[in-house]
Amino acid sequence: MCQVGEDYAEPASEEPPPRQPGREQKCVKCKEGLPVVVIRAGDAFCRDCFKAFYIHKFRAVLGKNRLIFPGEKVLLAWSGGPSSSSMVWQVLEGLSRESAKRLRFVPGIVCIDEGAACGLSPEARAKALAEMKLILQTVGFPWHVVALEEVFDLPPSVLRCFAQEPVGTEGAYKAAVDSFLQQQHVLGAEGAGDSPSLAQGEEQLSWPCTQDPQNPQSPDRPPTAAQTEALSRLFDSVKTLTAKEELLQALRTHLILHVARTHGYSKVMTGDSCTRLAIKLMTSLALGRGAFLAWDTGFSDERHGDVVVVRPMREHTLKEVAFYNHLFAVPSVFTPALDTKAPEKASIHRLMEAFMLRLQDQFPSTVSTVYRTSEKLVKAPRDGCAAGPPGPRCLLCMCALDIDTAAPLYLQTVPRLLGLRLPCICPRRSPPPHRPLHPAVLQGWGGCRAAVGGPGPARALLSQGGPPSPRHRAAVLRLPCEHEGLALPGPPAALHLGRGPAPQPEGLHRAADPGVPG
Amino acid sequence: MPAPQCATCHKARAALRRPRSGRALCGACFCAAFEAEVLHTVVAGRLLPSGAVVAVGASGGKDSTVLAHVLQVLAPRLGISLRLVAVDEGIGGYRDAALAAVRRQAARWELPLTVVAYADLFGGWTMDAVARSTAGSGRSRACCTFCGVLRRRALEEGARLVGATHIVTGHNADDMAETVLMNFLRGDAARLARGGGLGSPGEGGALPRCRPLQLASQKEVVLYAHFRRLDYFSEECVYAPEAFRGHARHLLKLLEAARPSAVLDLVHSAERLALAPAARPPAPGACSRCGALASRALCQACALLDGLNRGRPRLAIGKGRRGLDEAGPPRDGEPERAPAPDAVPAF
């Protein structure tokens, strides 16, 4: 790899000296078993050592970061894909071990049915759902299957950033673990089994939680056709695949967090593997999210305040995950995603994925290099102005804005997503007096850079006071789309985003403040 | 269907659409807009104060040609005077033709031209000699590593020779975006931490440098050169195909095709990267041999030349720079001599 500090790798055709196949080669760890898989460059592992290595990595990532306290409720986000299935399996196995090394949290599984966004037919969705339920029942954790359409029913409180819980110090974690162990000890001595934490020695089948597939607070029903229609109209109105994927991620995140909050989970685990995170990092760079890389790809993501997103699979490469799933028969479900069968140049995500995998072929240390760089990123604004009061946050990704906004923006699209009703605001005439919006929604709306996007032909100049003036550096908000922008779903005349007047030449607008180009 | 009217003057027929905004402009209005933007970049960033003597790194390529032309147009307004400095790396079959182009330009604009050659400055080491020295054993020649460091040194020398107070180079937005991608793919945290911004203010006695074209897209630079009928040299360096930057460049072209704002989004991202303090480069001091800006005992240029002279060209490339006459634990990466991003200037 043309990595700083290393020479260029040998050209791909030059293999390491070919070893004799078969009996002579042994596992590099135990030196006895027959190797079945090669990890990294030339490390051949036998089946048992590979399993131990894999499990150890999972536990080490959790243990090193010390964020998951014993007895805590953790929601596992399962998409059916290989990485998240592997994660669920690891948790399953981790909970069933002998008590000293047992994982000590209380898991639940959430699965989001995104069929409507991907354009699947109801039959295909039902079929995928049935397969998933089969696996969920085998795993045995309390599970929630939520359709993406429910994002329309989210309350506006999801947009409010809750106060962040103080991060536990080293001492606090240790104290928590010690007290938990004591508690277990006491319980074991008494033989009672009704503590809220893990039952001693019981398998996970004795969970008291319900197995109801839906949110117990809402009636048990599949999403209505009208909701499905609204969701597919929303996604159809987004013109580029890049924007669709970003929108899907934002909606999915909000929905998962909502489920977590409703059911009292304080942590969410996602199954992003090392390879996926490296690709995500480069994609975020290209989308302008350089300020938020640490949150997007780090181990823990606390921007939502009360619920922390954790990525325990971040040190496992996709190759390891695939081999583990194959060797140890981890069940997974394939569901078509937004970009299944999309051509390579269809979106930034696809491009980056293809590029990284191709480069990885040629320079085998690409992914690990990018991953290591991501470990050096910290969660702070670059010039250390974090000490001041927290600024406005992006509506979609809840990160502090990284551009200047001259005036708060009154978003049109997201409130509609969330079911609020707003009259449409045309940028060219003064807006009609609108009904009072939810105060949480009004405060400090803005779009972060990725949503705002660079100067493009489509601009939605949404300001409260009439047509924009050149001095009015309102951050232009549009969900990332390149040409015509979002057309709103719904009967009222949709906000038409045409080519807004660019009051200044593009470069001037950009160069107006080189310290903070926006 | 006839071309639309120019959106600015409404008189002439539009000759192009600007790549980013899509506005249709005629040639003259486009050139005026381009110059206005560069002026704004310089003024708003306070890059070139009035009375500065500015050394323009001229390679004969499109970027430095456009840069020199625009600065010449803007010189009366900014109150600066220009000197052309060209660097002769000694790449046969490439640099000679480029230098001829620079000489023609200097004559056309009536600007004083100084040519500094690697062979004179660095004890006979031309790039061809370096390539011969590092070739072999299946490894790449790492030519861009040597050339980039040595060229910056040479530019600094040339600028001092002509008594300049500032150095400008013709890096455009695409160059900056490629640099960001490349540094991430290579894991070069030190350069990522240092990069971004509009140039370096000139620490420790080094001349301040800036890149006035940093926010202009490459397409616009080419279009400007076309409309102003500038004469430049447009071939690729002989060693370019082996450079890692080629991968980043290819990726950038794909990204730009998928989403035109990707170039500026990358530059925006790079400015806002927050790296851990441990990953940032140490505060610069002075080189013990030549007195130039250096993060370690020896500046990178001296270290590279040292390796070349000892017959071990890779001595200064790589972690730790072991074997050099300096104490210290091995460190990651190779912090560059001067705090400027290591972009191969697309002159």
Side-chain angles (χ1 to χ4, degrees):
Chain A
M1 167 71 186
C2 177
Q3 188 186 343
V4 168
E6 280 186 20
D7 298 319
Y8 283 80
E10 275 88 301
S13 55
E14 190 184 318
E15 301 284 336
R19 307 185 200 171
Q20 275 103 14
R23 306 294 152 89
E24 283 82 359
Q25 191 177 357
K26 294 287 182 212
C27 166
V28 302
K29 198 123 180 268
C30 61
K31 315 270 190 297
E32 289 168 357
L34 212 57
V36 297
V37 61
V38 176
I39 301 292
R40 298 190 283 252
D43 287 345
F45 283 79
C46 68
R47 197 188 148 101
D48 296 322
C49 289
F50 175 58
K51 182 168 188 174
F53 164 80
Y54 193 88
I55 295 179
H56 169 76
K57 252 213 268 203
F58 184 78
R59 314 299 296 276
V61 166
L62 284 181
K64 193 166 55 172
N65 285 283
R66 303 204 168 195
L67 274 183
I68 313 235
F69 281 67
E72 206 173 357
K73 284 182 80 174
V74 174
L75 189 61
L76 306 176
W78 183 60
S79 64
S83 305
S84 49
S85 303
S86 197
M87 175 182 75
V88 167
W89 210 251
Q90 291 296 306
V91 170
L92 187 62
E93 295 210 333
L95 285 169
S96 64
R97 283 185 159 204
E98 66 275 7
S99 59
K101 293 188 192 162
R102 200 195 320 204
L103 288 178
R104 299 188 189 109
F105 53 85
V106 177
I109 302 188
V110 65
C111 179
I112 309 274
D113 171 25
E114 296 167 0
C118 308
L120 289 183
S121 66
E123 298 81 28
R125 287 176 74 179
K127 184 160 159 291
L129 226 58
E131 285 179 27
M132 287 187 172
K133 285 186 183 165
L134 213 58
I135 300 182
L136 287 169
Q137 271 149 9
T138 321
V139 169
F141 298 152
W143 47 271
H144 315 270
V145 172
V146 185
L148 192 62
E149 285 87 336
E150 295 197 23
V151 80
F152 288 119
D153 295 330
L154 287 181
S157 57
V158 298
L159 297 178
R160 215 180 311 154
C161 180
F162 290 82
Q164 302 205 347
E165 293 186 357
V167 177
T169 57
E170 179 83 13
Y173 184 80
K174 204 160 180 327
V177 170
D178 287 340
S179 76
F180 180 82
L181 285 174
Q182 259 182 349
Q183 198 180 30
Q184 291 296 81
H185 206 62
V186 164
L187 282 174
E190 289 177 11
D194 56 1
S195 76
S197 47
L198 293 181
Q200 189 86 344
E202 291 285 331
E203 290 305 316
Q204 53 279 1
L205 292 171
S206 67
W207 292 104
C209 306
T210 70
Q211 303 287 337
D212 282 346
Q214 305 293 341
N215 182 341
Q217 289 161 7
S218 69
D220 182 7
R221 51 162 176 77
T224 66
Q227 282 182 319
T228 311
E229 165 85 28
L231 191 67
S232 37
R233 240 192 331 218
L234 174 68
F235 273 87
D236 282 338
S237 71
V238 180
K239 293 291 185 292
T240 57
L241 189 57
T242 309
K244 280 190 212 193
E245 298 213 26
E246 291 290 301
L247 180 64
L248 182 62
Q249 277 179 28
L251 295 181
R252 187 197 294 150
T253 310
H254 278 295
L255 196 53
I256 292 180
L257 288 170
H258 176 71
V259 170
R261 283 192 187 115
T262 321
H263 295 270
Y265 292 96
S266 52
K267 299 267 185 322
V268 173
M269 273 195 192
T270 60
D272 295 311
S273 60
C274 183
T275 315
R276 286 276 162 231
L277 280 179
I279 296 173
K280 185 166 187 193
L281 188 130
M282 299 297 294
T283 311
S284 301
L285 258 191
L287 290 174
R289 291 184 62 86
F292 316 125
L293 288 179
W295 285 278
D296 281 346
T297 58
F299 173 72
S300 69
D301 179 358
E302 326 92 358
R303 57 189 137 147
H304 305 276
D306 52 344
V307 179
V308 179
V309 178
V310 153
R311 300 182 178 101
M313 300 290 290
R314 68 190 298 257
E315 296 195 6
H316 297 82
T317 61
L318 262 184
K319 177 178 178 182
E320 292 166 16
V321 169
F323 267 98
Y324 185 89
N325 288 3
H326 172 73
L327 288 174
F328 299 100
V330 173
S332 61
V333 176
F334 171 74
T335 43
L338 259 186
D339 61 351
T340 304
K341 288 197 186 172
E344 186 182 299
K345 306 205 175 163
S347 73
I348 303 273
H349 304 76
R350 292 282 282 167
L351 273 173
M352 216 33 114
E353 181 185 0
F355 176 78
M356 292 287 287
L357 295 176
R358 232 187 350 245
L359 207 63
Q360 172 80 6
D361 242 357
Q362 219 181 333
F363 304 109
S365 56
T366 306
V367 165
S368 57
T369 306
V370 176
Y371 171 72
R372 259 188 291 123
T373 312
S374 84
E375 287 191 317
K376 297 182 188 161
L377 296 166
V378 293
K379 294 171 181 162
R382 185 172 180 147
D383 29 20
C385 53
R393 291 192 164 240
C394 170
L395 205 50
L396 293 171
C397 69
M398 309 301 291
C399 290
L401 291 185
D402 61 342
I403 53 177
D404 259 349
T405 54
L409 298 180
Y410 298 100
L411 242 195
Q412 189 69 347
T413 54
V414 178
R416 198 165 280 278
L417 289 179
L418 302 178
L420 295 180
R421 273 177 231 101
L422 280 182
C424 67
I425 300 175
C426 172
R428 304 218 182 235
R429 58 180 154 84
S430 47
H434 46 263
R435 288 161 246 166
L437 297 172
H438 195 290
V441 159
L442 275 185
Q443 276 167 16
W445 280 8
C448 63
R449 168 75 193 198
V452 169
R459 288 174 163 242
L461 294 170
L462 299 165
S463 61
Q464 203 183 9
S469 66
R471 283 183 312 280
H472 182 90
R473 275 218 287 131
V476 293
L477 181 88
R478 57 164 193 200
L479 289 178
C481 46
E482 272 159 283
H483 305 294
E484 282 309 298
L486 239 54
L488 288 176
L495 179 66
H496 185 62
L497 311 178
R499 287 178 187 217
Q504 297 161 334
E506 294 315 318
L508 268 180
H509 179 69
R510 178 149 310 283
D513 192 349
V516 183
Chain B
M1 162 174 157
Q5 291 267 308
C6 169
T8 309
C9 64
H10 302 290
K11 287 196 292 250
R13 277 242 301 261
L16 72 141
R17 270 191 197 281
R18 293 198 73 177
R20 280 186 205 139
S21 62
R23 276 165 73 89
L25 295 176
C26 66
C29 292
F30 167 70
C31 293
F34 188 85
E35 284 160 11
E37 285 164 23
V38 176
L39 178 65
H40 198 107
T41 307
V42 172
V43 165
R46 290 187 282 275
L47 300 175
L48 301 174
S50 177
V53 178
V54 176
V56 179
S59 65
K62 62 176 182 351
D63 292 322
S64 58
T65 306
V66 165
L67 175 69
H69 184 92
V70 170
L71 281 183
Q72 226 205 354
V73 167
L74 298 177
R77 286 191 64 172
L78 291 171
I80 56 178
S81 62
L82 298 176
R83 314 265 185 274
L84 288 179
V85 176
V87 175
D88 176 10
E89 304 102 343
I91 301 178
Y94 165 69
R95 193 40 85 190
D96 329 318
L99 282 179
V102 180
R103 292 203 169 91
R104 285 198 301 274
Q105 289 165 5
R108 182 179 156 184
W109 294 324
E110 290 160 13
L111 288 175
L113 167 66
T114 314
V115 179
V116 283
Y118 278 14
D120 302 327
L121 283 176
F122 303 128
W125 281 105
T126 62
M127 274 317 295
D128 287 341
V130 170
R132 275 192 297 272
S133 160
T134 56
S137 75
R139 286 200 209 141
S140 79
R141 295 186 281 190
C143 291
C144 292
T145 307
F146 285 91
C147 192
V149 174
L150 295 177
R151 185 188 303 113
R152 278 165 178 75
R153 192 85 193 80
L155 258 185
E156 183 100 11
E157 285 301 308
R160 284 192 199 281
L161 269 180
V162 299
T165 55
H166 291 75
I167 301 180
V168 295
T169 48
H171 294 91
N172 56 42
D174 292 45
D175 290 328
M176 308 307 304
E178 282 166 23
T179 305
V180 174
L181 284 174
M182 195 174 74
N183 285 339
F184 243 104
L185 289 171
R186 286 160 46 105
D188 197 342
R191 289 213 174 90
L192 283 173
R194 217 190 276 129
L198 277 170
S200 69
E203 305 161 350
L207 290 177
R209 331 168 152 210
C210 62
R211 302 176 287 255
L213 294 184
Q214 187 170 339
L215 303 170
S217 84
Q218 189 160 314
K219 284 185 193 160
E220 300 205 332
V221 170
V222 174
L223 285 170
Y224 184 89
H226 167 75
F227 282 112
R228 292 288 197 220
R229 303 192 209 297
L230 299 178
D231 157 39
Y232 60 87
F233 178 69
S234 56
E235 282 179 28
E236 199 184 42
C237 172
V238 166
Y239 299 113
E242 14 180 291
F244 185 77
R245 184 173 278 264
H247 294 281
R249 188 164 285 169
H250 175 65
L251 176 63
L252 186 69
K253 288 300 145 208
L254 292 173
L255 291 176
E256 197 179 1
R259 198 174 196 212
S261 63
V263 177
L264 279 182
D265 288 342
L266 275 167
V267 177
H268 178 95
S269 290
E271 288 177 3
R272 281 156 181 71
L273 280 178
L275 284 154
R280 292 191 205 138
C287 171
S288 52
R289 265 191 218 171
C290 62
L293 200 61
S295 301
R296 300 173 178 169
L298 278 186
C299 70
Q300 187 72 355
C302 287
L304 286 175
L305 288 170
D306 211 29
L308 285 172
N309 287 327
R310 289 196 202 183
R312 296 169 56 193
R314 291 179 181 275
L315 201 54
I317 302 179
K319 298 189 194 231
R321 305 209 308 202
R322 297 177 205 99
L324 290 176
D325 49 350
E326 51 173 348
R331 268 186 255 170
D332 282 0
E334 27 173 280
E336 208 193 0
R337 172 193 68 89
D342 185 45
V344 174
F347 283 149

